[in-house]
Amino acid sequence: MIPFNKPYLTGKEGHYIYQAVLSGKISGDGIFTKKCHDFFEKKYGFNKCLLTTSCTDALEMAALLIDIQPGDEVIMPSYTFVSTSNAFVLRGAKIVFCDSRTDHPGIDEDAIEALITDKTKAIVPVHYAGVACDMDKIMDLAAKYKLYVVEDAAQAIDSYYTGRDGVKRPLGSIGHLAAFSFHETKNIMAGEGGMLVINDQKFADRAEIIREKGTNRSKFFRGEVDKYGWVDMGSSFLPSDIIAAFLYAQIENIDEIQRRRKEIWHAYSRLLQPLQDKGIIGLPVIPDFASNNGHMFYITLKDIDARTALIADLKANNIYAVFHYLSLHKSPFYEAKHDGRVLPETDRYTDCILRLPMFYELTEDNIKSISEVIINYFV
Ligand SMILES: *Cc1c(COP(=O)(O)O)cnc(C)c1O
């Protein structure tokens, strides 16, 4: 049986967890949390990083930080995970769903401006499959209409955007805020885990407070105040140092993990190219301004029936391929709140995307046999 995902252990996770436990400080912001923050800030030039218990939490922190009020509008793709919108709905926002690009499931950057009203407060681009949205276009709109940009970079660790100026920037370093996930299905993981990146320094102090139940405990631990108390609203968004210890073992191996995942991606792409050439399936498109971080390999089928049939055939061959993201604008929770616009590309991706097994330990033989099953199915 070839599973869809298999979390990869680098081997040091248990060792670092043991060290964290022995250190005697296993609540949040211990030695491993600090090591993780330092790593991400140095490697990607992020202004400030804060580990959270999930990307969902990091997005909820972002909604609090930009002070979303009931009635504020937030523009985001409909083709995304529920957490992207839930975080803002919890603050009373109205979600204005935007369609996807025709060549890629990311938000259609050219369709955003028509959705902006005087109530719009933020744009939340999702770097689907770790492939960048066209951030110059989005940041230009944000500047023109004075909006915040929160990058949902859940899948986008170690991926880049090359702007008009030719400079290559890490995803998560461009918007005012960005949220990453370290869920076990992501490239670098801690079981459950996430990170908020604060690029706009004006949010830095308040982010620490919101993450620590609305208290200034972080300042207290640094000796900057002599007692701590309740200074703002907040919640418990910080993970135990045990999670950070696990994560540190992963990030020490990030270059090797990324190398292998990209290799797997290219092997699939090469083997399945003939099916695309015959017009039978679509392969992922990486726009010129984006890099590929090997997060996901998906194919697109001609319709939902073709996808259902192929999933069954793969399953009969002991291969688990999955689809995801049902258009959020048509979800049981949001359909009645949606303004009725049709989003044809979103619906097409909802019906047609199939994700193939993708994990560090997938072997060359696995990739070959998966590709062969797909090719034999069609020819
Ligand atoms: C995984 C994912 C999330 C949620 O991440 P968690 O860490 O599980 O909360 C949010 N948005 C996108 C696009 C994701 O892929």
Side-chain angles (χ1 to χ4, degrees), residues 54-56 59 80-81 83-84 126 152 154-155 181-183 186 192-193 325:
S54 63
C55 178
T56 303
L59 289 164
T80 182
F81 189 57
S83 295
T84 319
V126 179
D152 182 336
Q155 307 174 5
S181 174
F182 303 119
H183 184 263
K186 305 302 199 293
E192 299 278 355
Y325 299 160

Side-chain angles (χ1 to χ4, degrees), residues 6 27 30 51 71 122 125 133 143 159 161 178 181 204 235 246 281 303 317 352:
K6 179 171 178 249
S27 60
L51 291 192
C133 300
S159 202
Y161 170 71
S181 174
S235 190
F246 188 111
I281 64 167
D303 57 28
N317 285 280
C352 302

Side-chain angles (χ1 to χ4, degrees), residues 11-22 32 245-246 249 252:
K12 283 235 184 140
E13 287 82 359
H15 177 67
Y16 287 153
I17 286 173
Y18 189 59
Q19 256 182 263
V21 171
L22 286 186
F32 283 101
F246 188 111
E252 276 189 333

Side-chain angles (χ1 to χ4, degrees), residues 2-214:
I2 304 178
F4 169 68
N5 181 53
K6 179 171 178 249
Y8 169 61
L9 298 177
T10 68
K12 283 235 184 140
E13 287 82 359
H15 177 67
Y16 287 153
I17 286 173
Y18 189 59
Q19 256 182 263
V21 171
L22 286 186
S23 80
K25 181 164 189 320
I26 52 178
S27 60
D29 283 334
I31 46 173
F32 283 101
T33 304
K34 174 123 196 10
K35 276 175 183 285
C36 291
H37 289 170
D38 288 348
F39 173 88
F40 289 117
E41 286 166 11
K42 272 206 200 79
K43 185 166 171 87
Y44 300 113
F46 297 146
N47 174 48
K48 181 181 174 73
C49 296
L50 289 173
L51 291 192
T52 56
T53 52
S54 63
C55 178
T56 303
D57 270 1
L59 289 164
E60 286 177 26
M61 284 183 67
L64 284 164
L65 282 168
I66 64 172
D67 197 28
I68 293 289
Q69 297 295 319
D72 287 347
E73 294 178 2
V74 179
I75 299 172
M76 65 179 65
S78 172
Y79 191 73
T80 182
F81 189 57
V82 290
S83 295
T84 319
S85 29
N86 246 328
F88 298 90
V89 165
L90 281 169
R91 314 297 335 143
K94 176 177 175 222
I95 309 300
V96 178
F97 287 115
C98 187
D99 208 0
S100 295
R101 293 165 60 108
T102 50
D103 62 344
H104 184 270
I107 193 167
D108 180 357
E109 300 88 353
D110 297 325
I112 296 173
E113 189 162 14
L115 303 176
I116 296 174
T117 71
D118 54 8
K119 291 199 177 128
T120 307
K121 187 119 190 213
I123 306 171
V124 186
V126 179
H127 303 301
Y128 181 80
V131 175
C133 300
D134 194 344
M135 292 305 291
D136 279 344
K137 285 187 183 170
I138 293 170
M139 297 312 288
D140 283 353
L141 288 175
K144 182 169 168 191
Y145 294 98
K146 299 195 166 40
L147 309 174
Y148 290 118
V149 173
V150 178
E151 294 174 70
D152 182 336
Q155 307 174 5
I157 195 72
D158 201 49
S159 202
Y160 296 82
Y161 170 71
T162 305
R164 284 189 289 259
D165 57 6
V167 178
K168 196 170 144 188
R169 294 182 177 82
L171 299 185
S173 70
I174 303 164
H176 302 85
L177 298 162
F180 284 92
S181 174
F182 303 119
H183 184 263
E184 75 170 24
T185 51
K186 305 302 199 293
N187 292 24
I188 305 298
M189 59 95 192
E192 299 278 355
M195 177 168 75
L196 179 70
V197 174
I198 300 115
N199 294 313
D200 186 334
Q201 178 62 23
K202 81 172 178 210
F203 294 121
D205 281 349
R206 194 160 175 245
E208 281 188 348
I209 289 166
I210 285 174
R211 179 167 165 269
E212 270 280 20
K213 302 98 184 160

